[in-house]
């Protein structure tokens, strides 16, 4: 593998291959395009965690009120609505909200709206169950996000939080990180959000949820599996997602070709036949509002 130097502005950039929460509405992660790409590539990973989260919470059924914070592409919202719950899905990205509104349109008691998970414009004690899957952990003020989630959970209701066990997350994000290290061995990866690092520790996650006035907290680690095509078909399928990954997006065309070659090298080492399986661990916690 031919090594290349990374431009100084790219090496020092704080944007990463982890989609970090931002408020600027012109950021690429705010768009309809990103929402579509994320649904097609990431929901197969996050959806597995969402399925376990719904089961662990229990009682998600007809007329249960559910809040899905940083709902993304609906990996939890839609299955919850299918169980009969009245779901409010919120996200700070207009593109995600537009997608969520379409996905929740068949469910009259469910809706999606634009809202900051760190400052919920919602009444206290208003939801039976609240979820923040891979949301609060990347908020700039993640402690406030946890406090807000607990605030709007009714007393005796449950709150669920999930994050990845290790940076940079699951699925294609792991492959991109490894490929970038191969091509730019001197590059220092952008620092993950503080909440990502701290809440990835099960004991710390439980402690912070208790600080947010939740009790009887159960924490577990869940293995997720991302399955996709091997070889050049992997690049074809993930090309659009790669264009939204901060470090990769800043590369010139020659550097991208080198990283693409490194991605193929990584995938070839993991492939079984025409398929590649990418395994990652998520941390899932459920607590009860005191």
């Amino acid at each position: 593998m031919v090594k290349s130097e990374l431009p100084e502005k790219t090496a020092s950039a704080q944007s990463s291959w982890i989609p970090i929460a931002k408020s600027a509405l012109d950021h690429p992660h705010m768009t309809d395009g990103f929402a579509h790409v994320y649904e097609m590539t990431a929901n197969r990973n996050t959806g597995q965690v969402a399925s376990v989260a719904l089961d662990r919470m229990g009682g998600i059924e007809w007329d249960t009120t559910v809040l899905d914070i940083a709902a993304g592409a609906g990996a939890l919202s839609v299955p919850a609505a299918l169980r009969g719950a009245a779901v409010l899905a919120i996200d700070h990205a207009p593109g995600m909200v537009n997608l969520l509104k379409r996905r929740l349109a068949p469910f009259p008691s469910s809706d999606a709206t634009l809202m900051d998970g760190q400052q919920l414009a919602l009444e206290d004690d208003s939801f039976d169950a609240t979820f923040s899957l891979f949301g609060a952990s990347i908020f700039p003020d993640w402690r406030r996000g946890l406090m807000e989630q607990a605030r709007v959970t009714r007393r005796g209701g449950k709150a669920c939080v999930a994050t990845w066990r290790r940076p940079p997350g699951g699925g294609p994000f792991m492959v991109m990180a490894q490929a970038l290290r191969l091509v730019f061995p001197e590059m220092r990866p952008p620092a993950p959000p503080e909440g990502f690092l701290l809440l990835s520790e099960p004991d710390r996650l439980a402690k912070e949820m208790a600080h947010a006035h939740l009790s009887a907290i159960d924490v577990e680690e869940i293995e997720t599996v991302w399955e996709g095509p091997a070889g050049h078909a992997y690049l074809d399928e993930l090309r659009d997602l790669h264009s939204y990954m901060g470090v990769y997006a800043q590369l010139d065309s020659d550097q991208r070709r080198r990283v693409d070659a490194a991605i193929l090298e990584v995938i070839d080492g993991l492939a079984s036949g025409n398929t590649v399986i990418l395994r990652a661990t998520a941390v899932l916690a459920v607590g009860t509002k005191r």
Side-chain angles (χ1 to χ4, degrees):
M1 175 64 63
V2 178
K3 304 296 191 295
S4 174
E5 292 187 1
L6 195 63
E8 182 178 352
K9 69 174 184 178
T10 304
S12 62
Q14 291 304 303
S15 59
S16 77
W17 44 83
I18 305 167
I20 297 176
K22 292 181 180 288
S23 59
L25 294 181
D26 59 349
H27 191 276
H29 292 167
M30 301 293 164
T31 63
D32 291 346
F34 177 68
H36 172 72
V37 169
Y38 192 79
E39 179 184 37
M40 297 302 295
T41 55
N43 269 18
R44 70 187 79 172
N45 228 181
T46 57
Q48 295 168 38
V49 179
S51 179
V52 175
L54 287 167
D55 289 342
R56 296 295 186 269
M57 291 283 270
I60 307 298
E61 54 193 18
W62 195 258
D63 281 347
T64 303
T65 54
V66 167
L67 176 66
D68 188 5
I69 301 167
L76 182 131
S77 294
V78 174
L82 282 166
R83 296 187 184 202
V87 179
L88 177 61
I90 70 164
D91 203 280
H92 75 299
M96 293 296 188
V97 172
N98 292 338
L99 185 149
L100 286 162
K101 280 186 173 292
R102 293 193 297 272
R103 298 294 178 262
L104 291 172
F107 309 100
S109 62
S110 296
D111 198 6
T113 191
L114 195 67
M115 194 179 298
D116 183 355
Q118 300 160 107
Q119 190 172 359
L120 298 174
L122 300 166
E123 297 292 330
D124 295 357
D125 307 312
S126 50
F127 292 89
D128 299 318
T130 61
F131 296 83
S132 183
L133 307 187
F134 311 107
S137 62
I138 61 171
F139 289 163
D141 191 346
W142 54 270
R143 283 196 176 93
R144 184 173 181 179
L146 291 177
M147 294 293 288
E148 282 288 275
Q149 180 178 357
R151 178 182 67 79
V152 302
T153 306
R154 68 166 176 81
R155 294 189 182 278
K158 292 184 178 180
C160 178
V161 177
T163 188
W164 294 110
R165 185 69 176 87
R166 295 176 182 82
F173 297 97
M174 298 189 299
V175 174
M176 177 61 73
Q178 190 171 342
L180 287 168
R181 286 194 295 269
L182 286 172
V183 179
F184 307 112
E186 302 304 317
M187 183 186 75
R188 184 176 64 182
E194 179 187 62
F196 188 117
L197 291 176
L198 295 180
L199 299 182
S200 67
E201 296 291 338
D203 290 345
R204 183 61 181 267
L205 177 56
K207 178 181 178 181
E208 294 295 343
M209 290 179 69
H211 182 69
H213 308 298
L214 299 167
S215 62
I217 300 163
D218 291 324
V219 185
E220 63 181 302
E221 296 186 19
I222 303 165
E223 183 182 69
T224 68
V225 176
W226 189 95
E227 181 178 356
H232 285 275
Y234 177 90
L235 278 179
D236 293 339
E237 182 172 314
L238 275 297
R239 198 171 302 280
D240 288 340
L241 180 64
H242 291 166
S243 71
Y244 287 102
M245 294 183 181
V247 174
Y248 184 88
Q250 297 176 65
L251 302 177
D252 62 34
S253 57
D254 178 65
Q255 290 168 333
R256 288 191 184 191
R257 283 194 294 271
R258 294 178 181 182
V259 173
D260 286 349
I263 289 171
L264 289 176
E265 182 179 326
V266 173
I267 292 299
D268 286 348
L270 298 171
S272 176
N274 296 322
T275 303
V276 63
I277 300 292
L278 306 174
R279 302 179 187 276
T281 301
V283 183
L284 179 76
V286 175
T288 302
K289 172 75 170 287
R290 297 197 290 266

